[in-house]
Amino acid sequence: MTKALDGIRIIDFTHVQAGPACTQLLAWYGADVIKVERPGSGDVTRSQLRDIPDVDALYFTQLNSNKRSLTLDTKKPAGKKILEELVRTSDVMVENFGPGALDRMGFSWERIQELNPRMILASVKGFSDGHAYEDLKVYENVAQCAGGAASTTGFWDGPPTVTGAALGDSNTGMHLAIGILTALRMRDITGRGQKVSCAMQDAVLNLCRVKLRDQLRLDRTGFLEEYPQYPHGKFGDAVPRGGNAGGGGQPGWVLKCKGWQTDPNAYIYFTIQGQNWANTCKAIDRPEWIDDPAYNTATARQDKIFDIFGYIETWLENRTKFEAVDVLRKYDVPCAPVMSMKEIENDPSLRASGSIVEVEHKARGKYLTVGSPIKFSELTVEITGSPLLGEHSDQVLASLGYDSQQIAQLHAEKVV
């Protein structure tokens, strides 16, 4: 089957998570992604948090499927020559080096354009160019704090809290992939490449837009009616932490289910949707609340919302989270079980949809990884195992015109 990005060659000069997440997505959809790595060591995540000695860590395997690995010492003239040839024959270079690293390698934007005016240079950054912190090293949790997520996450009587979701890393990679596809489309029109970048702070902020919305509302009114602090609490001048409250104006909370005393994830998320109040009352066996003026409007419910949630927890006492959701879904109540990673690992629906897949790895055997979160009617996304370090070096060099004798010499000189 023809893949959407067949014919697009990408030089993957990224490491750790944000950049590899971007290039992996493009590899899933058909791009030929050549991961350029340092001979002997490669991407640092190959050895981080290993579960099997001397085998690529899951950290690496889950971010580098469907790629080819080329080891290359770009400090040596022969290595630099190979990279120049790659630039001439590729469409995109993706990098997440520190500021100025490409320039020091001899591959400034001007030089890249000389080699290939159609090249798209895509960069992951911590902060946007010109930002006061543009020279600051940024990791996942740093980005969550700088982008506004941490200050609005957690409970009001505790410190700012980061989330386990990779808002700074993988999220930035997804944003950059959109930028690359946009630049490729523009190149179809103009014939020219361009630079594309995505800053981790900006990518986190983009996911916090409803909190920025709340800040603007708070500036104007001095309160936020859908937050737990209203109507009895006080608001400061910044959006507060709201615990597990719903972010869209519909009251919601995480509630205990049967077994919560021993299972830390025996909870559901329950949303009280205004337009579905009657059905919600029927679902939780409180039909008398449907027309009761003390409950039948969102305004009336606001000052007793936690009493309502408290009652719902008594309704949940003898129901597991899955049993509760099976009842509530019949009444169109927005809810979900709190899924542990163990449950995610074994979820049959995620396996059936291809959102979780098992793939073969030459050293570790089968391993579990995420599949494409995007589904297509005309494209089957096949996930393959991540490459061993330098596994495709000879193959890539041959595609650039090197013969077997030249390739052997490059190995002898430890260029590849």
Side-chain angles (χ1 to χ4, degrees):
M1 178 185 290
T2 299
K3 303 291 186 181
L5 299 180
D6 274 350
I8 299 296
R9 174 180 277 184
I10 297 175
I11 304 170
D12 183 359
F13 250 136
T14 70
H15 53 282
V16 190
Q17 186 174 167
C22 168
T23 51
Q24 177 176 252
L25 190 74
L26 301 173
W28 286 345
Y29 305 145
D32 176 19
V33 176
I34 300 173
K35 187 173 181 72
V36 181
E37 302 184 76
R38 183 178 300 170
S41 57
D43 190 321
V44 67
T45 59
R46 285 187 182 271
S47 59
Q48 281 189 342
L49 305 174
R50 275 183 169 141
D51 59 314
I52 302 175
D54 301 320
V55 173
D56 288 338
L58 290 165
Y59 197 177
F60 178 86
T61 65
Q62 293 203 342
L63 288 158
N64 292 282
S65 56
N66 293 57
K67 301 179 185 179
R68 297 197 286 168
S69 172
L70 164 70
T71 50
L72 190 63
D73 186 347
T74 57
K75 293 181 180 178
K76 295 180 178 178
K80 188 167 293 187
K81 181 174 181 290
I82 292 168
L83 182 54
E84 287 179 348
E85 292 166 359
L86 265 179
V87 170
R88 288 191 183 97
T89 58
S90 298
D91 301 277
V92 183
M93 178 189 287
V94 189
E95 60 88 18
N96 59 349
F97 294 125
L102 275 180
D103 290 357
R104 291 191 294 273
M105 286 171 57
F107 289 87
S108 64
W109 173 236
E110 291 73 23
R111 177 58 179 152
I112 289 171
Q113 284 185 304
E114 288 175 9
L115 294 167
N116 183 354
R118 291 173 57 82
M119 172 65 75
I120 291 158
L121 175 60
S123 303
V124 174
K125 297 178 178 293
F127 296 88
S128 291
D129 290 342
H131 192 285
Y133 294 157
E134 67 178 340
D135 61 341
L136 190 65
K137 184 175 283 189
V138 178
Y139 292 106
E140 171 64 51
N141 292 346
V142 175
Q144 288 193 31
C145 290
S151 72
T152 56
T153 303
F155 284 84
W156 44 90
D157 56 354
T161 305
V162 297
T163 175
L167 304 184
D169 278 326
S170 287
N171 169 50
T172 302
M174 303 302 104
H175 278 79
L176 187 61
I178 294 170
I180 290 169
L181 295 174
T182 301
L184 285 169
R185 177 65 182 122
M186 284 190 69
R187 192 183 70 175
D188 291 341
I189 299 168
T190 67
R192 299 190 305 275
Q194 62 178 298
K195 290 196 291 184
V196 181
S197 68
C198 185
M200 295 171 72
Q201 180 190 36
D202 296 348
V204 173
L205 174 58
N206 192 38
L207 296 190
C208 291
R209 65 180 70 185
V210 296
K211 298 300 182 181
L212 182 58
R213 170 208 67 185
D214 293 347
Q215 183 62 55
L216 299 176
R217 292 168 54 227
L218 182 63
D219 291 343
R220 184 175 294 277
T221 66
F223 65 91
L224 297 168
E225 63 186 35
E226 77 279 18
Y227 277 63
Q229 291 86 337
Y230 179 86
H232 303 301
K234 293 182 179 179
F235 289 85
D237 62 358
V239 173
R241 291 179 276 284
N244 290 312
Q250 310 290 343
W253 208 249
V254 171
L255 303 177
K256 300 171 185 173
C257 295
K258 181 180 178 180
W260 67 269
Q261 297 92 336
T262 55
D263 180 355
N265 295 296
Y267 292 80
I268 67 168
Y269 195 86
F270 190 105
T271 305
I272 296 177
Q273 195 175 30
Q275 63 267 39
N276 200 43
W277 176 243
N279 271 348
T280 302
C281 293
K282 294 173 186 175
I284 62 175
D285 301 326
R286 271 289 182 267
E288 66 272 21
W289 283 352
I290 295 174
D291 297 314
D292 186 337
Y295 292 91
N296 65 2
T297 67
T299 301
R301 292 189 292 272
Q302 187 65 51
D303 65 349
K304 56 183 79 70
I305 195 68
F306 283 102
D307 294 332
I308 296 171
F309 286 138
Y311 165 75
I312 297 170
E313 280 197 333
T314 64
W315 180 84
L316 291 166
E317 282 178 352
N318 296 313
R319 294 176 172 89
T320 68
K321 61 188 178 184
F322 298 111
E323 291 169 343
V325 169
D326 280 342
V327 172
L328 297 169
R329 64 199 286 201
K330 297 173 184 175
Y331 293 89
D332 292 327
V333 175
C335 62
V338 172
M339 299 287 285
S340 71
M341 295 313 297
K342 184 67 175 178
E343 289 164 333
I344 292 286
E345 177 186 19
N346 296 303
D347 187 272
S349 294
L350 292 174
R351 298 290 186 109
S353 68
S355 299
I356 292 284
V357 295
E358 276 191 336
V359 295
E360 287 284 349
H361 186 270
K362 290 181 176 62
R364 70 164 47 245
K366 281 190 176 181
Y367 70 93
L368 197 70
T369 190
V370 295
S372 173
I374 306 167
K375 316 300 183 187
F376 303 87
S377 65
E378 299 295 325
L379 172 64
T380 300
V381 180
E382 300 172 83
I383 310 297
T384 61
S386 62
L388 300 177
L389 180 62
E391 179 180 348
H392 303 97
S393 294
D394 292 1
Q395 187 183 94
V396 173
L397 291 170
S399 74
L400 296 175
Y402 288 79
D403 61 31
S404 57
Q405 186 174 355
Q406 291 171 313
I407 293 172
Q409 183 64 30
L410 290 168
H411 281 290
E413 295 173 359
K414 296 185 178 180
V415 174
V416 296

